[in-house]
Amino acid sequence: MSSRTPDPHDFLDLDAGLAEEERGICAAVRAYAKDNLLDQVADWYETGSLPAAELAKGFGSLGLLGMHLEGYGCAGTSAVAYGIACRELEAVDSGLRSFVSVQGSLAMYAIHKWGSEEQRQEWLPRMATGDALGCFGLTEPDAGSDPGSMRTRAVRDGSDWVLSGTKMWITNGTVADVAVVWAQTDDGIRGFVVPTSTPGFTANEVKHKLSLRASLTAELVLDGVRLPGSAAFPEVRGLRGPLSCLNEARYGILFGVVGAARACYEAALEYTLSRSQFGKPLAGFQLTQRKLADLLVEVNRAGLVALQIGRLKDAGTLHHNHVSFGKMANVRSALSAAREARSMLGANGISLEYPVMRHMANLETVLTYEGTEEMHALSLGQAVTGLAAFR
Ligand SMILES: Cc1cc2nc3c(=O)[nH]c(=O)nc-3n(C[C@H](O)[C@H](O)[C@H](O)COP(=O)(O)OP(=O)(O)OC[C@H]3O[C@@H](n4cnc5c(N)ncnc54)[C@H](O)[C@@H]3O)c2cc1C
């Protein structure tokens, strides 16, 4: 037995087991966040705005955009390194991790995995540096959990494609240079690389959000958007295409939310140690210690789950059911930690002066997007019973 008391900020010593590259990325993102993000994020959240171009350049210069992809100017890091970067970004705000996830795991991954060589050469190097931003249009007003029911349609007109339809809740839609859009065709669902300057393409900001406010969300309207034949992803057909991308993004989420949970725990620990009521620090009361112990368990258990899933991904043995497990388990842990931490800060818990309620509200989005908790529960149910209960 060691006589060293565990570190309250890394209780299970998880970071000690990280490879040098992973530790380096962790330190670099933390330093960047401290210098460029932490002081500003509450204002972005309050105003529902984001300096997207500036952030893209900053994240690009850090090598975070498409960092786990190979070639085309991407860093080609391990999956764990990418996960750690997501964790450190989401410790600041889920909106910032979403920014990087959408660019790297949805838009860039889609082009990298399913695009033609020409599409890759055209977009990926610029997206890796943050000179071009991407978005990913799958969800529609009437097709969320059931994307197979999408109505957006692409039809042939000579050698061209013409796209019509509406996509909803699309992160970075208003600032994207390129949209990966999924549409019905006579040959099943296909993906299209759509420059957002194409006539007929409009992005309208989604307003009145009470969650993920430090993130830009859009409705995309495609009104007879005419594209050359080369705009379609050449091979992939059906939901396999978009679902492969969602799995990448969900992986970033299951790591990212560990950061949000940790930030809430740290805020609650610091607050209850420094504020006194009834003549002693709040942290000295048994009920508060019970809550702190619960938070500690949630944060570290979620960290372990993420790390194990990351190791499976690096070993090439990750199954999409593992990702469902991690997304469901870790978002649930983070949300529960955030709600508990919120109560521990009393009235200050509802203020943007502290990060906790911002994280709590963000995590409501994270619970819903990239497959709702219910969808992942159904995936796990199917995995262990062999029975599909989706419809
Ligand atoms: C801020 C934000 C950003 C987003 N960014 C993007 C993006 O960049 N790109 C993109 O394509 N999408 C994006 N989304 C959309 C997101 O992925 C969808 O909201 C999500 O898939 C759920 O779809 P829905 O909202 O239509 O809910 P619905 O599918 O209508 O579900 C509503 C409720 O019913 C439940 N439900 C549905 N079917 C079943 C069933 N069979 N059994 C039991 N319960 C069921 C759901 O679990 C949920 O609780 C974003 C969403 C938000 C909020």
Side-chain angles (χ1 to χ4, degrees), residues 7 16 18 23 26 31 41 43 60 71 83 119 125 146 149 160 188 212 248-249 259 323 349 353 382:
D7 176 0
L18 296 179
R23 273 207 293 271
C26 179
V41 69
D43 279 346
Q119 290 166 337
D146 179 18
S149 65
D160 290 349
L212 218 72
E248 291 296 303
V323 178
E353 297 289 324
Q382 182 177 8

Side-chain angles (χ1 to χ4, degrees), residues 220-232:
L220 308 184
V221 180
L222 299 119
D223 183 9
V225 171
R226 181 174 287 277
L227 300 166
S230 60

Side-chain angles (χ1 to χ4, degrees), residues 152-344:
T152 297
R153 211 169 161 80
V155 292
R156 279 285 194 185
D157 184 21
S159 63
D160 290 349
W161 286 101
V162 179
L163 269 67
S164 301
T166 305
K167 296 289 176 183
M168 192 59 191
W169 298 108
I170 307 307
T171 303
N172 282 351
T174 46
V175 287
D177 301 285
V178 62
V180 170
V181 173
W182 300 92
Q184 303 278 4
T185 72
D186 287 344
D187 199 14
I189 289 171
R190 293 190 66 175
F192 294 84
V193 178
V194 184
T196 56
S197 55
T198 314
F201 181 100
T202 324
N204 304 309
E205 189 185 344
V206 173
K207 297 204 162 130
H208 311 303
K209 286 185 301 172
L210 293 174
S211 169
L212 218 72
R213 288 183 53 74
S215 174
L216 306 170
T217 314
E219 172 199 51
L220 308 184
V221 180
L222 299 119
D223 183 9
V225 171
R226 181 174 287 277
L227 300 166
S230 60
F233 288 150
E235 302 295 340
V236 70
R237 304 283 186 278
L239 283 176
R240 193 166 71 94
L243 292 184
S244 66
C245 307
L246 292 179
N247 268 324
E248 291 296 303
R250 289 165 182 161
Y251 171 78
I253 290 173
L254 68 87
F255 247 107
V257 293
V258 178
R262 188 188 72 207
C264 292
Y265 157 72
E266 287 179 343
L269 181 61
E270 193 183 319
Y271 190 86
T272 56
L273 280 169
S274 60
R275 179 172 171 83
S276 290
Q277 290 290 287
F278 299 101
K280 67 176 184 183
L282 294 170
F285 294 106
Q286 289 186 355
L287 288 174
T288 306
Q289 291 197 5
R290 173 69 210 226
K291 290 183 181 184
L292 286 170
D294 285 344
L295 295 183
L296 186 67
V297 168
E298 295 293 4
V299 171
N300 284 273
R301 192 167 49 194
L304 262 177
V305 167
L307 209 49
Q308 171 62 4
I309 289 177
R311 298 287 180 228
L312 292 178
K313 190 161 166 44
D314 276 327
T317 52
L318 187 69
H319 187 273
H320 68 80
N321 289 142
H322 291 131
V323 178
S324 280
F325 180 102
K327 205 258 179 187
M328 180 173 148
N330 282 7
V331 178
R332 184 186 275 179
S333 286
L335 194 48
S336 146
R339 287 172 179 159
E340 191 82 287
R342 215 282 323 138
S343 76
M344 297 167 77

Side-chain angles (χ1 to χ4, degrees), residues 136 138-139 144-145 169-171 212 365 368 370 372 374-375 390:
F136 185 86
L138 178 66
T139 305
S145 299
W169 298 108
I170 307 307
T171 303
L212 218 72
T365 287
T368 289
E370 308 283 348
T372 64
E374 291 78 9
M375 290 301 112
F390 287 91

